Amino acid sequence: MILSIATFVLLIPANVMPLYRVELLTGSRASHVTSGVANFWREHWPLPAITMLLFVLILPLLRFALLSIVLCAIQLGVRSRRLGPSFRVAQTLGVWAMPEVMLLGIYVAYGRLSALFDLKVGGGAVFMAAATVCALLARACIDDRMVWRAIMPDGGHPAGPVLSCAACSMVLPIARDGGDCPRCNARLEPRKTNSVAITTALVSAGLILYLPANLLPMAMTIQLTAPAPYTVFGGIVDLARAGLWGLAVLVFVASFAIPLLKLTGMCWLLWSVHSGSTHGLRLKTRLHHIIHEVGRWSMVDVLAIGTFVPLMQFDQIANAQAMPGMVAFLGVVITTMFSTHSFDTRLLWDARDGTRVSERPIAA
């Protein structure tokens, strides 16, 4: 509870105060979380602007506000029907709220810019680091099952056929199919609606966008009238040439390896469902969990661009702007993240039991 409240409090100055500042003879520039959002919007890139606004500013505050309220209520012995839905939303936002990824983006941008400018780290970066530490500790310390039981006890195993709530794991009679979970208010269904079709469409979109995301420049920097396009591979090579091997490896893993592994892994899971394969079901389930957890780290490059572009606005001396490759790359990240949400791992296990539970079709 204390860690959750501390994270919420620390996120406020982290989003308001400067992340870092640079000064040249022609003036000074500071980078904030909000300046990155404003810069994307001003340059007519609404998707990156909305993404950065949601993932870095709004959703982290909402997640830790809800989490703090639920944990405080449990600690004080307060009982309310709203605790379950609030905790469900807070836990769902755990993947989409990205203070940790933003901190890594700040570090990557600092590594790139420190070779060009004399950067001064601002209070926003310090508070973001503190908020990230508290957020990681809070996530490690919280026991989901204990919280769910404190909100409402499981109530035992009902007789006859059952189904399990996908959000809080409460076991209920199959007769409640199509209703709402009494503990978290999530919709109860044996299988997710059109899971395979939706996941296939999302993975296909990610595969289509993968090549332009890696080939097109994500940003363009201009130093003394010399333009330098910045691609994923180009950025990795530049970091390696500058001797920043740690950052080069980090960007390679986050921006190239993870998206490729996500797409490959999701294709394997989809093929497994279509073929009815019974091999390695535990491995496949764990793989889905890993893809679901690590997918957001691919946002590092997009957030790094949103951090350093507002600083490089010194007209002919140094200038930077976002490019179409960034939108394609963002599309890969978002589609693969949504694909892990839409995929139902229970479909993998149907083959073991020799059953094929039909997906609930979308109503016309």
Side-chain angles (χ1 to χ4, degrees), residues 77-105:
V78 177
R79 294 291 180 265
S80 172
R81 294 178 60 87
R82 297 180 181 179
L83 292 182
S86 298
F87 187 64
R88 173 171 60 86
V89 172
Q91 293 304 85
T92 301
L93 293 179
V95 176
W96 301 98
M98 304 183 182
E100 309 96 329
V101 185
M102 182 61 191
L103 179 64
L104 201 54

Side-chain angles (χ1 to χ4, degrees), residues 231-246:
T231 62
V232 173
F233 276 110
I236 295 170
V237 172
D238 290 342
L239 289 172
R241 287 175 177 172
L244 301 172
W245 288 99

